[in-house]
């Protein structure tokens, strides 16, 4: 009987150890998304403006349902606005290299389909951009995008679903919202209110267990 108990104890330890190795793991994750971007404090006549982002994350999942991650990405943002009184359309593109830091929560670790949520902070560095003014007579003028602050900091949240393809690979779909906090530029002549970045997007991801 004692030998039976000992054997069961050994098997239980092996089971726990095996499951711990499965649950506690690192993932390399590639993500791409697209959607709409705009500036805060821009009121009225703001039109759809393409936002796109692509990057990679390194994610560490713990033994339960929580983990954390960090990454690097290229992000295209900006705004499109139509001035009805002038008959002019202004399209401004701004490009950033961004570094997200986030916590991840999985709602289930055992099924193939797993809802998840990310929340964290994202820092970015302005790398350039181009603005274009289109007049009512279709003439256009180009200029470089200018910002008062090249550092962009903000908060983001991401909600989605992970589908486990096999023991190593997962694919995901998600929605993402970014809320910029740092001043990009002043709205009028150096006076407040100031402008910050905003964007909303949907995307896909592919992750590999390391």
């Amino acid at each position: 009987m004692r030998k039976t108990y000992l054997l069961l104890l050994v098997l239980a330890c092996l089971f726990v150890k095996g499951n711990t190795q499965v649950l506690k793991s690192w993932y390399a994750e590639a993500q791409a998304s697209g959607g709409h971007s705009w500036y805060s404090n821009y009121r009225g006549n703001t039109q759809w403006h393409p936002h796109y982002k692509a990057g990679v994350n390194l994610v560490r999942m713990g033994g339960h349902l929580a983990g954390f991650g960090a990454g690097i990405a290229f992000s295209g943002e900006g705004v499109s606005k139509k001035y009805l009184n002038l008959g002019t359309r202004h399209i401004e593109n701004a490009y950033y290299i961004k570094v997200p830091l986030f916590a991840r929560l999985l709602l289930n670790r055992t099924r193939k389909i797993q809802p998840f949520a990310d929340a964290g902070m994202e820092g970015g560095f302005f790398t350039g951009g181009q603005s274009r003014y289109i007049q009512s007579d279709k003439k256009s003028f180009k200029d470089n995008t200018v910002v008062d602050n090249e550092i962009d900091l903000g908060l983001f949240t991401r909600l989605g679903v992970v589908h486990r393809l096999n023991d190593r690979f997962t694919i995901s779909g998600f929605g993402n919202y970014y809320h910029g906090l740092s001043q990009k530029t002043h709205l009028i002549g150096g006076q407040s209110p100031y402008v910050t970045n905003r964007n909303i997007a949907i995307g896909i991801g592919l992750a590999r267990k390391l």
Side-chain angles (χ1 to χ4, degrees):
M1 183 67 68
R2 292 177 61 184
K3 289 183 178 180
T4 302
Y5 285 142
L6 182 61
L7 179 60
L8 291 175
L9 180 61
V10 171
L11 291 175
C13 291
L14 291 175
F15 177 80
V16 171
K17 182 178 180 181
N19 277 272
T20 300
Q21 290 176 346
V22 170
L23 292 175
K24 292 184 177 180
S25 49
W26 289 91
Y27 289 87
E29 179 180 66
Q31 290 184 334
S33 61
H36 168 61
S37 69
W38 69 98
Y39 293 157
S40 66
N41 291 315
Y42 269 47
R43 300 283 194 270
N45 303 319
T46 299
Q47 300 178 319
W48 180 83
H49 185 90
H51 160 66
Y52 44 89
K53 185 178 182 181
V56 293
N57 298 321
L58 188 61
V59 182
R60 165 67 167 173
M61 293 304 300
H64 299 287
L65 300 178
F68 62 90
I72 186 168
F74 174 82
S75 181
E77 305 179 32
V79 70
S80 293
K81 184 175 177 64
K82 191 171 184 179
Y83 298 91
L84 298 178
N85 57 332
L86 300 176
T88 302
R89 187 181 178 205
H90 176 210
I91 303 171
E92 181 172 297
N93 295 301
Y95 308 118
Y96 291 86
I97 298 296
K98 295 205 166 185
V99 178
L101 300 172
F102 58 92
R104 172 164 296 178
L105 178 66
L106 282 174
L107 300 185
N108 191 297
R109 292 294 302 272
T110 59
R111 297 180 181 178
K112 280 193 172 182
I113 297 179
Q114 306 162 352
F116 77 95
D118 292 345
M121 176 169 282
E122 192 170 76
F125 184 78
F126 178 73
T127 61
Q130 191 173 73
S131 297
R132 187 157 55 108
Y133 297 86
I134 304 174
Q135 297 180 340
S136 56
D137 58 4
K138 306 302 181 183
K139 290 183 180 180
S140 63
F141 304 90
K142 294 182 180 180
D143 199 0
N144 292 327
T145 298
V146 178
V147 298
D148 295 339
N149 186 6
E150 293 187 344
I151 302 299
D152 185 58
L153 295 174
L155 303 175
F156 76 93
T157 183
R158 186 160 48 224
L159 300 174
V161 176
V162 174
H163 176 64
R164 183 158 47 86
L165 299 175
N166 51 47
D167 290 339
R168 285 197 171 273
F169 289 94
T170 63
I171 189 170
S172 61
F174 58 86
N176 187 94
Y177 171 68
Y178 174 77
H179 189 93
L181 299 175
S182 59
Q183 172 184 317
K184 177 188 177 295
T185 185
H186 284 97
L187 187 60
I188 300 174
Q191 303 297 319
S192 60
Y194 57 82
V195 172
T196 59
N197 287 306
R198 302 279 194 273
N199 62 67
I200 189 168
I202 57 174
I204 58 173
L206 178 66
R208 183 185 187 276
K209 183 180 176 183
L210 301 178

